[in-house]
Amino acid sequence: MKKILIILFLILFCSSNSFAGVKIGKGEVVMSESTIDWFIKYIRGKKNMKPMAFILSSNGDWSTYWYCPEGSCRAANFMPTIRKCEEESGSTCGLFARRYTVIWKNDFKPKKANIKSKWSDQEIKDKLKEWGFYGVPKRSTSKVEDTKPKITKKKKEEAKKQTKTYETKGERSIALSWEGYDELIAGTVKFNEKNYKGTLNLPLPNNDGNCSGSYTLQTNGKGTWQIACTNDMGAAGTLKWKKGGSVTGLGRDHNDRKVKFTVSSKS
């Protein structure tokens, strides 16, 4: 009887500690469209593999997730992935969801914030919007705004200057090496960029599917990218914008296989 109790204790201990010491995200965060798609894929699961953990950056652009191997959730160390997220996104990162429960702390999410895998995409988006993680960011009601600051003419002029935005879109050649594919993937990538944040679309060869995602650039020419594909593949990583206009990227997919690419400069 004692042996049985010890075994049960160890099972419960290992199960409860699979998230022990993990950095849980907190604060206001609005997920990008590609991150929302990434999260929905995570909630849906894959064959016999069920959702385990979803990691998110505080700017809402960088994310990745873990599945329970063969439906059995065991202890895992997420901190290296969280540190990698912070290095590549340039912002703080943390655990957003544990299995089907959103645990990121903000002022709008209820204590029990569970997502059901049978919900439609729109139902999941509506629930995340209700909790302040999607769409127009909500403002905390904990701060009472009794007075409204006066807007001077100078401030109005500054506001007008800030409304100027950078925007570009087009199509360029890309050469992509994805571990698992025998040959180099050559094709074109379409992009639509605004204020150094953009979306991209890339068809895979042999009618193997289509990949779409997003990227974010920083003033130093570095940035991050992530894509999700229709064949249940996906990858994320870092990129570097070179002086001539070409772009190089490096990252890994969900199966930890290396992905690297080069996008040509403007023709």
Side-chain angles (χ1 to χ4, degrees), residues 191-193 196-200 213-217 224-225 239:
F191 64 93
N192 190 345
E193 184 179 322
Y196 302 99
K197 290 185 178 182
T199 59
L200 53 87
S214 66
Y215 61 91
T216 302
L217 296 173
T224 60
W225 62 271
L239 58 82

Side-chain angles (χ1 to χ4, degrees), residues 4-256:
I4 295 174
L5 289 173
I6 291 171
I7 291 170
L8 287 173
F9 172 78
L10 289 173
I11 292 172
L12 289 172
F13 179 81
C14 291
S15 152
S16 61
N17 278 275
S18 61
F19 297 95
V22 177
K23 183 180 178 181
I24 297 174
K26 63 180 179 179
E28 183 180 291
V29 58
V30 178
M31 301 165 79
S32 66
E33 288 295 335
S34 58
T35 301
I36 288 290
D37 294 339
W38 211 244
F39 181 70
I40 291 173
K41 281 181 177 289
Y42 161 77
I43 289 295
R44 296 276 183 255
K46 187 177 180 182
K47 295 181 180 178
N48 295 327
M49 297 161 64
K50 295 183 179 179
M52 185 179 188
F54 191 90
I55 295 168
L56 178 67
S57 63
S58 58
N59 62 12
D61 291 328
W62 197 104
S63 62
T64 190
Y65 56 80
W66 290 49
Y67 279 146
C68 301
E70 301 301 327
S72 175
C73 285
R74 299 177 182 177
N77 182 11
F78 303 111
M79 286 310 300
T81 306
I82 291 175
R83 285 193 290 270
K84 180 182 177 183
C85 168
E86 292 179 335
E87 289 173 2
E88 295 184 352
S89 68
S91 60
T92 56
C93 299
L95 204 61
F96 179 78
R98 180 171 54 199
R99 294 166 192 163
Y100 295 98
T101 303
V102 175
I103 60 174
W104 189 287
K105 299 176 182 178
N106 69 3
D107 292 331
F108 311 102
K109 179 183 67 67
K111 289 183 178 180
K112 293 183 179 180
N114 297 324
I115 301 286
K116 295 181 180 179
S117 60
K118 66 180 181 180
W119 286 355
S120 67
D121 291 3
Q122 191 58 51
E123 285 176 314
I124 294 174
K125 290 180 179 180
D126 289 343
K127 188 57 66 175
L128 291 172
K129 187 174 183 179
E130 178 185 328
W131 296 339
F133 297 119
Y134 178 58
V136 180
K138 290 187 174 184
R139 299 299 176 190
S140 172
T141 55
S142 59
K143 296 180 181 179
V144 180
E145 298 179 356
D146 292 328
T147 59
K148 293 183 179 180
K150 293 180 179 180
I151 301 175
T152 62
K153 185 178 180 181
K154 186 177 180 181
K155 286 184 178 180
K156 285 182 179 179
E157 290 175 354
E158 289 176 354
K160 286 181 180 178
K161 291 179 181 179
Q162 292 173 358
T163 59
K164 293 182 179 180
T165 58
Y166 159 76
E167 186 173 0
T168 183
K169 59 183 177 179
E171 184 174 313
R172 295 192 192 178
S173 299
I174 183 172
L176 184 144
S177 172
W178 196 322
E179 190 176 345
Y181 280 95
D182 295 331
E183 300 178 358
L184 188 71
I185 300 173
T188 57
V189 59
K190 294 180 179 179
F191 64 93
N192 190 345
E193 184 179 322
K194 186 175 183 179
N195 290 339
Y196 302 99
K197 290 185 178 182
T199 59
L200 53 87
N201 189 283
L202 171 68
L204 293 174
N206 304 322
N207 295 320
D208 204 17
N210 192 72
C211 301
S212 59
S214 66
Y215 61 91
T216 302
L217 296 173
Q218 299 170 355
T219 53
N220 59 4
K222 296 181 179 180
T224 60
W225 62 271
Q226 62 180 18
I227 55 172
C229 307
T230 54
N231 60 355
D232 289 330
M233 293 174 65
T238 58
L239 58 82
K240 187 174 182 180
W241 203 283
K242 296 187 175 182
K243 288 183 178 180
S246 62
V247 180
T248 58
L250 183 66
R252 291 190 175 273
D253 66 11
H254 286 167
N255 296 316
D256 201 35

